[in-house]
């Protein structure tokens, strides 16, 4: 395998040099040259012989040949790793998951450049288990042997886990054999021992006394999770069969420093107090009172606030207010998901936008000239992660505009970063306002023109030819009787 390292690296470089953004580059620009050897053509990447093919091959055949060679080398690396992983000291209840076939297939599908292995608890209901570890070994194939380790301790959700390899997650070696040995060594001596080491007992620590005071004097109860207490304040909103008694459960626990007592509603931290300089009874009483006041305030806010979440004015009051976002999360989720679809469709109706092409983009992406992606970002609320807002390439949907107008704003912003190409557009001008003109082209597409980039005047309902050069357009009006853009 040692002798193949430089070959594997060069094969990866060659694949990337003739695909993606570079698929139209010449072989010379890609650093690829050829030499004839009897009936075969030997292919070189920067003076390294990377493969050989029969005469008459094309660019696609070269690409597939390189991918196949990379996959074969990846299988060899996978065998080395899997043999070494047998030495992992897996605790009871933990399993190793490796899907080598999937990783090999991903090399062809999307130029995946790594092999992954996972160590985690066995079973379907393990996400919430305290003090567990979740580990990934990610070994990269496209350079000198190196890997990134991901190791989290704690429940696998909403930032509740702790990164236990934050200080040094990277491993480097001269060979894949040595890299595999180092991965096993780090796991056995640092990751698993650190994560599963029992915490020192601290009997009668003030944090434990405060939790017992909450239970003994203020109606809280210990939960199945060590160091956690819970209380039903019954200040929730009664909601038929879903919540007939107005239950409102608050969970509390100390943070890792055992100094701050934190209160959670669901997964959301609602408050904490510093208990270090308080008496244990005083701290418990103050905390219980503060949480009760919060639940009452939340209930009053939800009962008295009447907002239409589907209007820009109503949404402005909701946005950023965690309580209101949770209250209206179902309405907002339905609204915004439908608007996301409408914005995507509106973008597809603008010239230059289409579904993305692999390997650079996913088929689900909406992309301008296969260069700039419509990057949708979402804001969520509640344990069900309902969508309560979204933006596209920095354009935020505040409900003040129609999805069609949002798409136009996105198009205008993307135009600033899309490579300027010389082109000519023909069509009827269907709208002109202070900033833009909309021109109907053929194939049902529209083109958005920024008036500041045009020389000449555009008139509404008049057919026009616009010639762009160097990012500026020259307007040439046509006879209104011409049939353009039909």
């Amino acid at each position: 395998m040692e002798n193949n390292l430089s070959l594997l690296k060069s094969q990866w470089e060659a694949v990337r040099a003739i695909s993606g953004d570079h698929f139209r580059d010449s072989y010379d620009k890609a650093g690829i040259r050829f030499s004839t050897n009897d009936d075969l053509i030997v292919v070189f990447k920067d003076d390294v012989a990377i493969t050989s093919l029969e005469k008459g091959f094309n660019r696609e055949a070269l690409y597939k040949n390189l991918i196949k060679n990379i996959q074969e080398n990846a299988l060899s690396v996978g065998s080395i790793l899997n043999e070494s992983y047998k030495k992992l000291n897996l605790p009871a209840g933990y399993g190793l998951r490796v899907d080598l076939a999937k990783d090999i297939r991903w090399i062809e599908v999307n130029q995946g450049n790594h092999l992954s292995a996972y160590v985690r608890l066995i079973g379907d209901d393990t996400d919430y288990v305290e003090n567990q570890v979740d580990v990934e070994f990610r070994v990269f194939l496209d350079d000198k042997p190196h890997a990134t380790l991901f190791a989290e301790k704690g429940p696998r959700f909403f930032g509740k886990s702790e990164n236990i390899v934050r200080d040094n997650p990277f491993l480097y070696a001269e060979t894949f054999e040595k890299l595999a040995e180092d991965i096993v060594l780090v796991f056995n001596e640092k990751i698993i021992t650190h994560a599963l080491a029992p915490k020192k007992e601290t009997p009668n620590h003030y944090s434990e006394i405060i939790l017992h005071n909450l239970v003994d004097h203020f109606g809280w109860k210990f939960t199945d999770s060590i160091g956690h207490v819970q209380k039903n304040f019954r200040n929730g909103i009664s909601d038929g069969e879903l919540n007939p008694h107005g239950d409102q459960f608050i969970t509390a626990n100390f943070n890792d420093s055992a100094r701050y007592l934190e209160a959670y509603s669901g997964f959301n931290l609602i408050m904490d107090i510093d208990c270090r300089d308080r008496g244990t009874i005083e701290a418990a009483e103050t905390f219980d009172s503060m949480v009760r006041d919060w639940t009452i305030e939340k209930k009053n806010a939800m009962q008295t606030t009447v907002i239409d979440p589907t209007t820009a004015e109503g949404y402005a009051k909701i946005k950023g207010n965690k309580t209101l976002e949770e209250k209206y999360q179902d309405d907002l989720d339905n609204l915004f998901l439908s608007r996301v679809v409408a914005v995507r469709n509106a973008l597809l109706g603008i010239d230059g936008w289409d579904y993305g092409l692999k390997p650079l983009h996913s088929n689900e992406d909406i992309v301008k000239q296969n260069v700039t992606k419509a990057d949708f970002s979402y804001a969520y609320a509640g344990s069900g992660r309902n969508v309560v807002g979204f933006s596209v390439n920095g354009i935020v949907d505040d409900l003040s505009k129609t999805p069609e107008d949002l798409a136009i704003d996105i198009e205008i912003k993307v135009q600033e970063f899309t490579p300027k190409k010389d082109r000519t557009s023909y069509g009827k001008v269907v709208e002109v306002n202070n900033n833009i003109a909309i021109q109907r082209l053929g194939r049902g597409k529209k083109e958005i023109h920024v008036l500041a980039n045009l020389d000449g005047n555009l008139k509404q309902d008049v057919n026009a030819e616009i010639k762009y050069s160097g990012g500026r357009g020259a307007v040439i009006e046509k006879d209104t009787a011409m049939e353009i853009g039909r």
Side-chain angles (χ1 to χ4, degrees):
M1 192 68 218
E2 288 185 51
N3 297 330
N4 291 339
L5 291 180
S6 60
L7 172 62
L8 185 59
K9 181 175 183 293
S10 296
Q11 287 174 336
W12 273 108
E13 291 174 351
V15 163
R16 288 166 178 159
I18 62 173
S19 63
D21 289 341
H22 305 288
F23 77 100
R24 296 187 185 278
D25 290 355
S26 66
Y27 286 127
D28 185 57
K29 184 176 180 180
I32 293 176
R33 63 181 182 84
F34 307 95
S35 175
T36 302
N37 183 7
D38 295 331
D39 293 332
L40 296 177
I41 302 295
V42 181
V43 184
F44 293 83
K45 175 69 172 83
D46 298 331
D47 297 327
V48 176
I50 55 176
T51 190
S52 59
L53 297 95
E54 294 183 356
K55 293 180 180 179
F57 69 88
N58 57 19
R59 194 184 190 97
E60 181 182 2
L62 173 59
Y63 177 86
K64 290 182 176 179
N65 177 275
L66 290 171
I67 289 293
K68 182 180 178 181
N69 289 338
I70 289 172
Q71 288 176 313
E72 291 174 352
N73 278 316
L75 280 171
S76 299
V77 174
S79 297
I80 293 169
L81 296 173
N82 289 343
E83 186 64 29
S84 188
Y85 289 156
K86 294 177 182 179
K87 302 174 186 177
L88 292 170
N89 294 332
L90 298 179
Y94 280 80
L96 173 71
R97 181 170 65 84
V98 177
D99 193 343
L100 184 59
K102 176 182 176 182
D103 289 341
I104 297 298
R105 185 169 63 253
W106 200 241
I107 293 174
E108 178 181 4
V109 172
N110 206 31
Q111 292 186 20
N113 66 339
H114 63 269
L115 305 179
S116 284
Y118 304 86
V119 174
R120 60 175 43 176
L121 282 173
I122 299 171
D124 298 329
D125 243 355
T126 60
D127 287 353
Y128 299 92
V129 175
E130 298 282 348
N131 209 37
Q132 66 170 296
V133 291
D134 188 73
V135 183
E136 178 188 355
F137 314 127
R138 187 175 297 178
V139 176
F140 292 91
L141 305 167
D142 54 351
D143 207 334
K144 290 183 178 180
H146 66 286
T148 300
L149 306 185
F150 303 88
E152 298 286 331
K153 174 184 176 182
R156 298 198 302 268
F157 64 97
F158 291 98
K160 287 290 187 179
S161 59
E162 171 194 0
N163 185 345
I164 56 179
V165 292
R166 180 184 295 109
D167 294 337
N168 189 20
F170 308 112
L171 294 178
Y172 300 88
E174 292 300 318
T175 66
F176 283 108
E177 288 86 353
K178 182 63 169 62
L179 181 65
E181 292 176 6
D182 291 346
I183 290 173
V184 171
L185 184 67
V186 171
F187 179 84
N188 289 343
E189 295 189 0
K190 296 182 179 180
I191 294 178
I192 205 66
T193 54
H194 167 79
L196 300 182
K199 294 184 178 179
K200 294 181 179 179
E201 295 295 335
T202 54
N204 298 322
H205 189 272
Y206 72 86
S207 62
E208 293 182 350
I209 297 173
I210 291 171
L211 292 179
H212 277 88
N213 285 338
L214 287 171
V215 172
D216 295 339
H217 303 291
F218 299 100
W220 293 71
K221 295 181 180 180
F222 283 109
T223 71
D224 292 335
S225 299
I226 297 174
H228 290 67
V229 294
Q230 187 180 72
K231 182 177 179 179
N232 184 1
F233 283 84
R234 297 195 183 281
N235 283 324
I237 299 296
S238 299
D239 187 15
E241 294 181 1
L242 293 177
N243 191 10
H245 306 297
D247 291 335
Q248 188 176 36
F249 290 95
I250 303 297
T251 304
N253 59 271
F254 276 87
N255 71 345
D256 290 340
S257 70
R259 174 176 173 177
Y260 292 93
L261 180 56
E262 302 173 333
Y264 289 86
S265 175
F267 300 123
N268 299 316
L269 175 67
I270 60 175
M271 68 177 64
D272 60 30
I273 67 169
D274 186 348
C275 297
R276 186 178 58 175
D277 298 323
R278 302 173 187 260
T280 55
I281 282 289
E282 175 198 355
E285 182 178 15
T286 301
F287 182 77
D288 181 74
S289 177
M290 290 174 62
V291 174
R292 181 186 298 107
D293 290 344
W294 180 88
T295 62
I296 293 172
E297 181 181 341
K298 180 179 179 180
K299 180 178 182 179
N300 290 338
M302 295 184 72
Q303 287 179 327
T304 58
T305 304
V306 179
I307 297 175
D308 182 356
T310 64
T311 66
E313 180 181 3
Y315 181 60
K317 297 176 181 178
I318 297 171
K319 188 170 183 273
N321 185 316
K322 189 172 293 185
T323 298
L324 293 178
E325 285 181 345
E326 290 181 358
K327 177 180 179 180
Y328 293 103
Q329 58 181 295
D330 291 332
D331 293 327
L332 292 175
D333 186 70
N334 291 330
L335 173 64
F336 279 117
L337 289 182
S338 65
R339 286 177 68 87
V340 166
V341 173
V343 169
R344 287 169 60 90
N345 289 336
L347 283 173
L348 290 171
I350 297 176
D351 190 53
W353 288 91
D354 209 334
Y355 291 103
L357 298 176
K358 293 183 178 180
L360 190 59
H361 300 287
S362 161
N363 290 339
E364 299 299 319
D365 291 336
I366 304 296
V367 185
K368 174 80 170 182
Q369 296 177 2
N370 206 37
V371 174
T372 305
K373 183 175 76 171
D375 190 7
F376 286 77
S377 298
Y378 301 93
Y380 301 98
S383 58
R385 289 177 62 80
N386 286 316
V387 175
V388 294
F390 77 95
S391 63
V392 188
N393 297 68
I395 304 294
V396 178
D397 184 5
D398 60 5
L399 302 186
S400 63
K401 296 185 176 182
T402 66
E404 291 74 18
D405 287 338
L406 274 176
I408 291 174
D409 288 348
I410 296 165
E411 159 69 7
I412 292 172
K413 185 169 184 179
V414 168
Q415 282 185 16
E416 300 175 12
F417 306 102
T418 303
K420 305 296 187 295
K421 296 182 179 180
D422 293 350
R423 68 188 193 281
T424 301
S425 63
Y426 300 89
K428 185 176 182 179
V429 179
V430 295
E431 181 180 336
V432 179
N433 60 37
N434 294 330
N435 301 311
I436 65 167
I438 302 176
Q439 188 178 31
R440 188 176 66 237
L441 309 178
R443 309 173 309 282
K445 292 274 190 175
K446 298 178 180 178
E447 183 158 5
I448 311 302
H449 303 280
V450 178
L451 296 182
N453 296 333
L454 298 181
D455 297 322
N457 295 321
L458 281 176
K459 298 178 182 178
Q460 191 163 317
D461 297 326
V462 173
N463 293 309
E465 175 185 328
I466 303 174
K467 292 185 177 182
Y468 277 92
S469 178
R472 294 202 60 80
V475 177
I476 304 172
E477 288 189 15
K478 296 292 184 179
D479 186 343
T480 55
M482 284 183 60
E483 293 189 356
I484 300 176
R486 294 189 63 182

